[in-house]
Amino acid sequence: MLPPLIEHLPRDRERLGLREVQMAGRLGLTLTEYRALEAGELWIDYALYERIVELCGWPLGAERDLGWVAVDKRRGDERVRYP
């Protein structure tokens, strides 16, 4: 099962009228990496996540849907963690 937002990448790419190679280029990925991303086989870091959010217009709190938010008990705030 793909993370909730990653499974929407193909739909958002089509909505934007982009081919896979164009979406890959806008995200700074190779075509092979982008296809792995759509298949849920590519681990992404927060920088790539931010590019996806900006390009697709996802909500800013989407990292919660990806399960990337953890509470730092020492500081008492939320921090983004990588999978």
Side-chain angles (χ1 to χ4, degrees):
M1 184 170 125
L2 296 175
L5 292 173
I6 298 300
E7 68 186 16
H8 296 293
L9 272 176
R11 181 201 65 195
D12 289 336
R13 176 177 50 78
E14 290 174 10
R15 178 181 51 83
L16 294 168
L18 300 174
R19 295 186 322 248
E20 287 179 335
V21 70
Q22 293 169 313
M23 186 77 154
R26 291 192 182 188
L27 294 175
L29 301 173
T30 66
L31 180 57
T32 302
E33 290 170 331
Y34 180 76
R35 286 180 175 161
L37 176 64
E38 276 196 359
E41 299 169 354
L42 180 71
W43 288 92
I44 63 174
D45 61 17
Y46 196 69
L48 176 54
Y49 162 75
E50 286 181 325
R51 292 192 303 270
I52 294 170
V53 166
E54 183 177 330
L55 182 61
C56 295
W58 292 348
L60 292 176
E63 63 271 6
R64 283 188 178 86
D65 294 336
L66 289 170
W68 285 8
V69 174
V71 175
D72 183 338
K73 295 184 190 237
R74 292 169 297 166
R75 296 174 50 109
D77 60 357
E78 293 181 342
R79 293 281 178 218
V80 174
R81 66 177 174 78
Y82 303 118

